[in-house]
Amino acid sequence: MIAIINRSYYKTAQRIFLHSLFWVCLTLMYVITYSRLDKDNAWVLILKDLLAVVTIFYSTAYIVIPKLFMKGKYILCFFWIILMYVWWGILTYISILYIKEFLEPTARLGMYIQAALKNGLLGLFKLDILPFYLLDYMYLVSLPLGLKIMQALVNIRNEKIKLELKNTELALKNAELAINNLQLELGFLKHQINPHFLFNTLNNIYILVSDNDPNGAASIVKLSGIMNYLLHESNQSILSLTDEVAFLESYINLERLRFSDKLQVRFHYTSDSQDYLVVPLIIFPFIENAFKHGPKVSRKNVWIKIDIEVKQGKLLMDVSNAISNIVKPLDYIGGIGLVNVRKRLELYYGDAYTLEIIEQADRYNVQLCMDLKHINDNMKSSKFKSCNNELIN
């Protein structure tokens, strides 16, 4: 496994600012949560959680991930998880002892303290209450560690694409074209998964789990599936279209969770066979852009429609999202990565695809049609002008 974590995207000052902002937001979240339990003594629990999460986060980011996880030393990673769990348990035990001896907890907090002291430190490993402790521990570390692990997965994928494109350079015997492809693929990777999507999704999952909402567990499974897909499945040159669509469905469902009732999403997929293959993540940027830019620039009547139909080896995708004529943010850039996506389509599908992008006053529409049989880089079909008609007829 590639042992590289690329931190060159951010300068030192930017990284310090982002980290500081993150810890401030997390502290506010703890303040709100623990104030409901015991307003007067919440500060003890907040300090305990911050000390635990900060040490776990930075040891993971700068020691465990680059020196163990990225080098495939998964057994040592497992023992590290146990060690951090014990560290969290010790801090928790010390904090409740302090509250019991020197403070006056509320009745609700007192019940928790009494139960924890009764079980002692060995309670961390008792089978009857182990699930309770593990869930509490997972809720605490899932948000900060999830962000860092996702960054590591994207960086792994980044480096593997570099190697893939270097091999393409040798195969095509065209150095200039290969360098352009390298820049194309790396640019595509930078926009592969929106960090705001991950942060908001983890935050929403945290709220669901805290409220014992059954959707919380399902959302964790979906996010885990996305991470597994990016790390393992998408490494292949081609894979099953069924797997690609399953990845898209998980992404769409998590975006539904992120935007809640503010966004109406319709996703429809039909296929006359389960045997089609496709280049991984070739159609994902169009769907991601619909979520990234549609809701961002529309304040009302926010909707997204995604239709994918596969028939006789031809794939037709129609993605539409609402936009409005409001003044867009200064940092808004429409169609991020679409130039790179076009080049990527040309690299893998040659002339066997058509792409049409239509921007109207109230909507943005992408229509993609491609021949799934033409995956070979050197295969050049016809201009593919009749693709839409074949699917409709």
Side-chain angles (χ1 to χ4, degrees):
M1 185 174 289
I2 300 170
I4 299 176
I5 295 183
N6 191 344
R7 298 189 180 92
S8 61
Y9 297 122
Y10 302 107
K11 296 180 180 179
T12 301
Q14 292 175 315
R15 187 180 299 115
I16 292 174
F17 173 76
L18 291 175
H19 281 229
S20 300
L21 179 61
F22 174 77
W23 292 119
V24 169
C25 293
L26 199 63
T27 300
L28 292 176
M29 183 185 302
Y30 291 158
V31 170
I32 295 173
T33 301
Y34 286 124
S35 293
R36 297 173 181 174
L37 182 64
D38 189 331
K39 185 176 181 180
D40 294 331
N41 302 317
W43 63 272
V44 178
L45 301 175
I46 294 170
L47 289 178
K48 179 264 296 186
D49 279 358
L50 284 176
L51 179 59
V53 173
V54 167
T55 54
I56 293 172
F57 176 83
Y58 286 108
S59 63
T60 301
Y62 298 104
I63 298 176
V64 176
I65 289 180
K67 296 185 178 180
L68 300 180
F69 180 75
M70 303 290 282
K71 295 182 179 180
K73 299 179 180 180
Y74 301 120
I75 295 180
L76 292 178
C77 289
F78 175 75
F79 283 113
W80 168 83
I81 293 174
I82 296 177
L83 179 63
M84 292 299 97
Y85 173 66
V86 173
W87 165 241
W88 166 80
I90 293 173
L91 289 178
T92 301
Y93 193 77
I94 293 174
S95 65
I96 61 177
L97 274 177
Y98 179 83
I99 294 175
K100 181 178 181 299
E101 293 296 329
F102 302 102
L103 303 176
E104 297 181 1
T106 61
R108 186 179 177 186
L109 179 59
M111 293 176 59
Y112 173 81
I113 291 175
Q114 184 177 1
L117 292 177
K118 179 180 178 181
N119 291 293
L121 281 175
L122 293 180
L124 294 170
F125 300 99
K126 290 182 179 179
L127 294 179
D128 55 338
I129 59 173
L130 179 62
F132 171 78
Y133 280 117
L134 283 178
L135 284 174
D136 198 12
Y137 175 70
M138 289 174 59
Y139 300 159
L140 182 70
V141 301
S142 61
L143 179 59
L145 288 190
L147 290 171
K148 183 55 66 174
I149 291 174
M150 179 60 80
Q151 181 190 28
L153 296 180
V154 171
N155 284 329
I156 291 172
R157 178 64 181 167
N158 191 323
E159 295 301 326
K160 288 186 177 181
I161 284 186
K162 286 183 180 179
L163 297 178
E164 176 186 334
L165 291 172
K166 287 181 180 178
N167 292 332
T168 301
E169 177 184 3
L170 296 176
L172 297 177
K173 296 180 180 181
N174 189 328
E176 182 178 359
L177 175 62
I179 292 174
N180 290 336
N181 289 335
L182 177 61
Q183 295 172 344
L184 147 70
E185 295 282 1
L186 292 179
F188 168 76
L189 241 298
K190 291 179 182 178
H191 304 291
Q192 182 169 301
I193 288 292
N194 187 353
H196 295 291
F197 156 76
L198 177 62
F199 182 89
N200 289 326
T201 298
L202 287 170
N203 187 46
N204 289 334
I205 291 175
Y206 178 87
I207 294 174
L208 289 175
V209 172
S210 299
D211 294 338
N212 295 320
D213 191 315
N215 290 325
S219 299
I220 292 175
V221 173
K222 287 185 176 65
L223 184 57
S224 175
I226 288 178
M227 296 169 65
N228 179 71
Y229 187 87
L230 290 173
L231 179 60
H232 299 292
E233 303 298 330
S234 64
N235 292 334
Q236 306 175 55
S237 299
I238 56 175
L239 47 72
S240 169
L241 178 61
T242 303
D243 294 339
E244 183 79 357
V245 171
F247 162 75
L248 295 177
E249 289 179 325
S250 295
Y251 174 83
I252 291 170
N253 288 332
L254 287 178
E255 286 284 22
R256 283 194 178 107
L257 173 65
R258 173 186 173 190
F259 290 101
S260 186
D261 296 332
K262 299 178 181 178
L263 174 66
Q264 296 181 0
V265 182
R266 190 195 75 180
F267 176 71
H268 180 69
Y269 168 75
T270 60
S271 176
D272 59 0
S273 173
Q274 302 294 317
D275 299 327
Y276 292 123
L277 300 176
V278 69
V279 174
L281 303 174
I282 198 74
I283 60 179
F284 169 70
F286 301 106
I287 296 175
E288 187 193 27
N289 274 345
F291 283 99
K292 193 189 303 182
H293 303 301
K296 184 175 181 180
V297 300
S298 298
R299 294 178 178 172
K300 60 182 180 179
N301 189 29
V302 185
W303 55 264
I304 293 176
K305 295 179 181 179
I306 303 168
D307 293 302
I308 301 177
E309 180 184 3
V310 187
K311 183 179 179 181
Q312 298 179 358
K314 307 290 196 305
L315 180 146
L316 176 63
M317 181 178 72
D318 190 305
V319 180
S320 301
N321 59 269
I323 60 175
S324 63
N325 292 322
I326 64 172
V327 178
K328 298 177 181 179
L330 294 177
D331 61 342
Y332 174 78
I333 303 176
I336 288 180
L338 291 183
V339 174
N340 288 342
V341 175
R342 284 183 183 273
K343 293 182 179 179
R344 197 165 185 257
L345 283 166
E346 292 174 2
L347 174 65
Y348 289 104
Y349 290 91
D351 293 333
Y353 83 94
T354 60
L355 175 63
E356 185 175 9
I357 299 175
I358 305 170
E359 184 170 5
Q360 299 175 343
D362 62 343
R363 71 177 57 198
Y364 191 87
N365 177 241
V366 174
Q367 296 179 2
L368 171 67
C369 187
M370 59 186 184
D371 190 340
L372 297 179
K373 294 177 293 185
H374 292 74
I375 297 179
N376 192 314
D377 293 349
N378 298 321
M379 181 69 68
K380 302 295 181 180
S381 328
S382 64
K383 292 297 182 180
F384 209 38
K385 293 180 179 179
S386 61
C387 182
N388 289 344
N389 293 330
E390 289 180 24
L391 278 173
I392 295 173
N393 296 332

Short mmCIF file of all heavy atoms in Angstrom, two decimals, residues 169-191:
data_model
loop_
_atom_site.label_atom_id
_atom_site.label_comp_id
_atom_site.label_asym_id
_atom_site.label_seq_id
_atom_site.Cartn_x
_atom_site.Cartn_y
_atom_site.Cartn_z
N GLU A 169 1.04 6.40 -19.99
CA GLU A 169 2.05 7.13 -20.77
C GLU A 169 2.91 6.18 -21.57
O GLU A 169 3.17 6.42 -22.76
CB GLU A 169 2.91 7.95 -19.81
CG GLU A 169 4.04 8.71 -20.49
CD GLU A 169 4.93 9.44 -19.50
OE1 GLU A 169 4.69 9.30 -18.29
OE2 GLU A 169 5.87 10.12 -19.94
N LEU A 170 3.35 5.07 -20.96
CA LEU A 170 4.18 4.10 -21.66
C LEU A 170 3.38 3.39 -22.74
O LEU A 170 3.90 3.13 -23.84
CB LEU A 170 4.75 3.09 -20.66
CG LEU A 170 5.71 3.66 -19.61
CD1 LEU A 170 6.12 2.58 -18.62
CD2 LEU A 170 6.93 4.28 -20.27
N ALA A 171 2.12 3.05 -22.44
CA ALA A 171 1.31 2.30 -23.40
C ALA A 171 0.99 3.14 -24.63
O ALA A 171 0.99 2.64 -25.75
CB ALA A 171 0.02 1.83 -22.73
N LEU A 172 0.69 4.40 -24.45
CA LEU A 172 0.32 5.26 -25.57
C LEU A 172 1.52 5.82 -26.31
O LEU A 172 1.40 6.35 -27.41
CB LEU A 172 -0.55 6.42 -25.07
CG LEU A 172 -1.90 6.04 -24.46
CD1 LEU A 172 -2.60 7.28 -23.95
CD2 LEU A 172 -2.76 5.32 -25.49
N LYS A 173 2.71 5.74 -25.69
CA LYS A 173 3.95 6.25 -26.28
C LYS A 173 3.80 7.70 -26.72
O LYS A 173 4.25 8.10 -27.78
CB LYS A 173 4.38 5.37 -27.46
CG LYS A 173 4.72 3.95 -27.08
CD LYS A 173 5.13 3.13 -28.30
CE LYS A 173 5.47 1.70 -27.91
NZ LYS A 173 5.89 0.88 -29.08
N ASN A 174 3.11 8.43 -25.89
CA ASN A 174 2.90 9.84 -26.21
C ASN A 174 3.05 10.62 -24.93
O ASN A 174 2.13 10.76 -24.15
CB ASN A 174 1.51 10.06 -26.80
CG ASN A 174 1.34 11.46 -27.35
OD1 ASN A 174 1.93 12.42 -26.83
ND2 ASN A 174 0.56 11.60 -28.40
N ALA A 175 4.26 11.14 -24.67
CA ALA A 175 4.55 11.77 -23.39
C ALA A 175 3.67 12.98 -23.13
O ALA A 175 3.17 13.17 -22.01
CB ALA A 175 6.03 12.20 -23.35
N GLU A 176 3.43 13.79 -24.12
CA GLU A 176 2.63 14.99 -23.92
C GLU A 176 1.21 14.65 -23.54
O GLU A 176 0.63 15.26 -22.61
CB GLU A 176 2.64 15.83 -25.19
CG GLU A 176 1.86 17.14 -25.08
CD GLU A 176 1.93 17.97 -26.33
OE1 GLU A 176 2.61 17.52 -27.30
OE2 GLU A 176 1.31 19.04 -26.36
N LEU A 177 0.61 13.65 -24.22
CA LEU A 177 -0.75 13.24 -23.91
C LEU A 177 -0.82 12.64 -22.51
O LEU A 177 -1.76 12.90 -21.75
CB LEU A 177 -1.23 12.21 -24.93
CG LEU A 177 -2.60 11.60 -24.68
CD1 LEU A 177 -3.68 12.67 -24.69
CD2 LEU A 177 -2.89 10.52 -25.72
N ALA A 178 0.20 11.86 -22.12
CA ALA A 178 0.19 11.23 -20.81
C ALA A 178 0.26 12.25 -19.69
O ALA A 178 -0.39 12.11 -18.65
CB ALA A 178 1.35 10.24 -20.69
N ILE A 179 1.07 13.32 -19.87
CA ILE A 179 1.17 14.36 -18.85
C ILE A 179 -0.17 15.06 -18.68
O ILE A 179 -0.61 15.36 -17.57
CB ILE A 179 2.28 15.36 -19.22
CG1 ILE A 179 3.65 14.67 -19.13
CG2 ILE A 179 2.24 16.58 -18.31
CD1 ILE A 179 4.80 15.52 -19.61
N ASN A 180 -0.83 15.34 -19.80
CA ASN A 180 -2.16 15.97 -19.74
C ASN A 180 -3.15 15.07 -19.01
O ASN A 180 -3.98 15.54 -18.22
CB ASN A 180 -2.67 16.27 -21.15
CG ASN A 180 -1.88 17.37 -21.82
OD1 ASN A 180 -1.28 18.20 -21.13
ND2 ASN A 180 -1.85 17.38 -23.14
N ASN A 181 -3.06 13.77 -19.26
CA ASN A 181 -3.96 12.83 -18.59
C ASN A 181 -3.69 12.79 -17.09
O ASN A 181 -4.61 12.68 -16.27
CB ASN A 181 -3.80 11.42 -19.17
CG ASN A 181 -4.37 11.31 -20.57
OD1 ASN A 181 -5.26 12.07 -20.93
ND2 ASN A 181 -3.86 10.36 -21.34
N LEU A 182 -2.41 12.89 -16.72
CA LEU A 182 -2.04 12.90 -15.31
C LEU A 182 -2.66 14.10 -14.60
O LEU A 182 -3.26 13.98 -13.53
CB LEU A 182 -0.52 12.93 -15.16
CG LEU A 182 0.04 13.00 -13.74
CD1 LEU A 182 -0.39 11.80 -12.92
CD2 LEU A 182 1.56 13.11 -13.78
N GLN A 183 -2.52 15.27 -15.20
CA GLN A 183 -3.11 16.47 -14.61
C GLN A 183 -4.62 16.36 -14.55
O GLN A 183 -5.25 16.79 -13.58
CB GLN A 183 -2.69 17.69 -15.43
CG GLN A 183 -1.20 17.97 -15.39
CD GLN A 183 -0.78 19.06 -16.35
OE1 GLN A 183 -1.54 19.41 -17.26
NE2 GLN A 183 0.42 19.58 -16.18
N LEU A 184 -5.19 15.78 -15.59
CA LEU A 184 -6.63 15.58 -15.63
C LEU A 184 -7.11 14.71 -14.48
O LEU A 184 -8.04 15.04 -13.76
CB LEU A 184 -7.00 14.95 -16.98
CG LEU A 184 -8.19 13.96 -17.03
CD1 LEU A 184 -9.47 14.72 -16.83
CD2 LEU A 184 -8.16 13.24 -18.35
N GLU A 185 -6.46 13.56 -14.29
CA GLU A 185 -6.91 12.63 -13.27
C GLU A 185 -6.73 13.20 -11.86
O GLU A 185 -7.58 13.02 -10.99
CB GLU A 185 -6.14 11.30 -13.39
CG GLU A 185 -6.41 10.53 -14.67
CD GLU A 185 -7.74 9.80 -14.63
OE1 GLU A 185 -8.46 9.89 -13.64
OE2 GLU A 185 -8.06 9.13 -15.62
N LEU A 186 -5.61 13.89 -11.62
CA LEU A 186 -5.39 14.46 -10.31
C LEU A 186 -6.40 15.57 -10.02
O LEU A 186 -6.90 15.71 -8.91
CB LEU A 186 -3.97 15.02 -10.20
CG LEU A 186 -2.85 13.96 -10.23
CD1 LEU A 186 -1.50 14.63 -10.16
CD2 LEU A 186 -3.03 12.98 -9.10
N GLY A 187 -6.71 16.37 -11.03
CA GLY A 187 -7.73 17.40 -10.85
C GLY A 187 -9.08 16.79 -10.57
O GLY A 187 -9.85 17.30 -9.75
N PHE A 188 -9.37 15.68 -11.23
CA PHE A 188 -10.63 14.98 -10.97
C PHE A 188 -10.70 14.48 -9.53
O PHE A 188 -11.72 14.58 -8.87
CB PHE A 188 -10.75 13.80 -11.94
CG PHE A 188 -11.84 12.83 -11.61
CD1 PHE A 188 -13.17 13.14 -11.85
CD2 PHE A 188 -11.53 11.60 -11.04
CE1 PHE A 188 -14.17 12.24 -11.54
CE2 PHE A 188 -12.53 10.70 -10.73
CZ PHE A 188 -13.85 11.03 -10.98
N LEU A 189 -9.57 13.94 -9.04
CA LEU A 189 -9.56 13.40 -7.67
C LEU A 189 -9.82 14.46 -6.62
O LEU A 189 -10.46 14.21 -5.61
CB LEU A 189 -8.19 12.76 -7.39
CG LEU A 189 -8.24 11.27 -7.06
CD1 LEU A 189 -9.03 11.00 -5.80
CD2 LEU A 189 -8.78 10.50 -8.22
N LYS A 190 -9.32 15.68 -6.83
CA LYS A 190 -9.48 16.74 -5.83
C LYS A 190 -10.95 17.05 -5.59
O LYS A 190 -11.32 17.53 -4.52
CB LYS A 190 -8.75 18.00 -6.28
CG LYS A 190 -7.23 17.84 -6.26
CD LYS A 190 -6.55 19.11 -6.74
CE LYS A 190 -5.05 18.94 -6.77
NZ LYS A 190 -4.36 20.14 -7.28
N HIS A 191 -11.79 16.78 -6.60
CA HIS A 191 -13.21 17.07 -6.47
C HIS A 191 -14.03 15.79 -6.36
O HIS A 191 -15.23 15.79 -6.58
CB HIS A 191 -13.70 17.89 -7.67
CG HIS A 191 -12.94 19.16 -7.87
ND1 HIS A 191 -13.02 20.23 -7.01
CD2 HIS A 191 -12.04 19.51 -8.83
CE1 HIS A 191 -12.23 21.19 -7.42
NE2 HIS A 191 -11.62 20.78 -8.52
#
